[in-house]
Amino acid sequence: MPGMATKSQIEELRAASGREAEVLYLKLMTAHHRGGVHMAEGCVQKCAVAPSARSPRAWSTRRSPRCC
């Protein structure tokens, strides 16, 4: 799934400290949130129920320009 950290990435984060840990954490979270945009866009395409389609569309529209 896009944006999910691998086991090795989590292990690397656990082993890191200080600035290295902070930078790695931010990189992983940026990828995680980009994956969320991808997921919301997919839901918009596949959701048949109006409220289910509205929420991800609004979320992906608001978030996408900031993180991608």
Side-chain angles (χ1 to χ4, degrees):
M1 173 178 256
M4 294 299 291
T6 64
K7 286 183 182 182
S8 64
Q9 288 172 316
I10 296 297
E11 290 170 10
E12 183 182 359
L13 180 59
R14 282 188 180 132
S17 62
R19 183 169 172 79
E20 178 187 2
E22 292 174 11
V23 170
L24 182 55
Y25 175 79
L26 290 172
K27 286 180 180 180
L28 291 173
M29 288 308 295
T30 298
H32 178 73
H33 285 266
R34 284 183 177 152
V37 170
H38 174 77
M39 183 179 66
E41 290 170 346
C43 184
V44 167
Q45 294 172 358
K46 295 181 181 193
C47 290
V49 180
S52 298
R54 257 193 321 269
S55 285
R57 183 178 298 117
W59 186 88
S60 67
T61 302
R62 282 195 316 266
R63 305 286 183 201
S64 194
R66 286 188 204 151
C67 71
C68 298

